[in-house]
Amino acid sequence: MNSPDAPHPDSSGDAASPHFPGLPGFLGPAGGAPDAVPGAPVCSAKGCRADAVWVLAWNNPKLHTPERRKTWLACDEHREHLSNFLNLRGFLKDVVTLEEWDEAATDRPADG
């Protein structure tokens, strides 16, 4: 059962890929809001199709090893709400801009 506050099911993903197509919320050239950049990552909030600005890195310690990071993407409007949702459950590990996440991607090992 999905919580009404939870992101849409296709929005969670691993942090393994530094490229936009590997990030959750990537819709490809035809996706996104009418004014969204084609192919740009979109917010993970349910029903939102705004361009993503933030990466919320998280893990569920009951399911994931400590070093594993899942990611949700957020627009400015939904960053606080999605962060609170994860933080209340003890899952939130980091919140950075999408630009910072992409720049740091070369420092992260790829899942094999």
Side-chain angles (χ1 to χ4, degrees), residues 12-30:
S12 66
D14 291 322
S17 176
H19 306 290
F20 289 155
L23 284 173
F26 179 79
L27 291 180

Side-chain angles (χ1 to χ4, degrees), residues 33-95:
D35 59 345
V37 176
V42 297
C43 181
S44 297
K46 186 174 184 177
C48 183
R49 289 288 168 239
D51 289 342
V53 179
W54 299 95
V55 175
L56 287 64
W58 63 278
N59 83 1
N60 179 341
K62 292 182 180 180
L63 302 175
H64 307 126
T65 59
E67 67 278 355
R68 183 168 179 193
R69 292 293 180 266
K70 302 286 279 180
T71 56
W72 282 353
L73 301 180
C75 62
D76 283 328
E77 181 181 346
H78 292 113
R79 180 189 58 84
E80 184 176 358
H81 175 74
L82 293 174
S83 294
N84 287 341
F85 182 90
L86 292 167
N87 198 41
L88 284 171
R89 290 153 180 79
F91 296 171
L92 187 63
K93 301 302 178 193
D94 200 8
V95 177

